[in-house]
Amino acid sequence: MNRDGISRRDWLKTTGSVGASCLLGGLAVSGPMAAENTSCSWEASVTRLRLRHTWTTTMSSSEYRDTIQVRLASDGVIGIGEGAPIVRYHESAEDGKKAIESISPFLQGVNPWQFEKVMAEVSQKVQGQFAAKAALDVALMDWVGKKLNVPLYRMLGLDPNDTPITTFSVGIDNPESTRQKVLEAEAFPVLKIKVGLNTDEATIAAVRSATKKPLRVDANEGWKDKEEAVRKINWLETQGVEFVEQPMPAEMIEETRWVRRRVHLPIIADEAAVNAAAIPKLVDAYDGINVKLDKCGGVQQALRMIYVAKSLGMKTMLGCMVSSSVSVTASAHLSPLVDYADLDGNLLIANDPYRGVQVRNGKLVLGDGPGLGVKPA
Ligand code: MG
């Protein structure tokens, strides 16, 4: 007898038939036994996303990005997930795909209804590879939402009308291209500007030559000297900037605390806030945190980060990497919980294979489809 009180032989029969329903995509298997003994088929692949503009931050410059796509087929339903590897943490899509393949026997035997337990076990089995974990977690969330026939935001008890506006990001470029990108982003009421190199003044001047909109600034750990950081942040305050993200390197928490005492603008942690456990030591050094599924390993860890930050009185923000509408839509489902959103990664690519969350006058608009509610483009 197994833990559900049925004989091993019957159990094999049940999982066998559910497995067949995955492959045949329609053989009806219903009832509690089928639900509890669901077997899964998982597929991980790498998708190349072409960028509309060459994308430059303090960390890298590129014309395309590869993301890990995951497809979970079980009990007649397919869940899709995506994770975008972050160069900062030495991740690549190929390594993420290999990490998923390395635990393939385990994944085939999981019960996707137990998504919390599944991801806890994945975390035990795989070191690092947070984009791969995010892809698995998002596929589980999509699958469960589809099985329950409710959108992910409803599973989480959230009101889709509470979504924030999203900023549109402008990468580091020469002044003329920066100005052009700002003009192209006319539909967005707030912009996020990447700085952190020695061209910051010219970048902001180029932005301000094209718009008076509020700006949010991301230095991506670019300022290494605390006095320089204070000087830059206080100057940015005179330029209509609302907050500054990750002014100094993540490990310089003490220096960032020193900086924060000398500026008025809120400081948001991104690279310093990798997961929920990292947040308590950031109190007093930062006013808030930027949560990304790809950085922390998926929806479940992102929720933990948001709740920990809120309980410590910190602001919360959802960000993203360059990715398709799968990953960005998954994040958007959590966005009714946060103060700020920077969920534009799908808008930066020219070949999005999917269609999901939309943006109207800057506001994130979620559909009412089950799970992520994402469809092929
Ligand atoms: Mg950032």
Side-chain angles (χ1 to χ4, degrees), residues 192 194 218-220 245-246 270-271 290 292 317 342:
K192 175 161 146 174
K194 294 281 189 181
D218 188 355
N220 283 113
E245 198 177 313
Q246 201 64 52
D270 181 359
E271 287 81 354
N290 184 356
K292 293 173 182 161
M317 167 177 176
D342 178 34

Side-chain angles (χ1 to χ4, degrees), residues 139 154 163 243 275 334 364:
R154 186 169 293 177
T163 55
F243 64 69
N275 54 33
L334 312 188
L364 295 163

Side-chain angles (χ1 to χ4, degrees), residues 34-63:
E36 287 306 306
N37 292 296
T38 306
S39 77
C40 300
S41 105
W42 297 81
E43 258 177 55
S45 58
V46 174
T47 295
R48 179 151 293 184
L49 303 171
R50 278 185 290 110
L51 292 163
R52 291 182 190 277
H53 291 287
T54 302
W55 179 247
T56 304
T57 70
T58 56
M59 287 178 275
S60 61
S61 180
S62 57
E63 287 173 10

Side-chain angles (χ1 to χ4, degrees), residues 363-375:
K363 186 176 164 72
L364 295 163
V365 179
L366 288 159
D368 56 6
L372 301 179
V374 161
K375 295 197 168 72

Side-chain angles (χ1 to χ4, degrees), residues 270-289:
D270 181 359
E271 287 81 354
V274 288
N275 54 33
I279 299 172
K281 65 175 182 284
L282 304 179
V283 174
D284 298 338
Y286 295 90
D287 297 274
I289 56 155

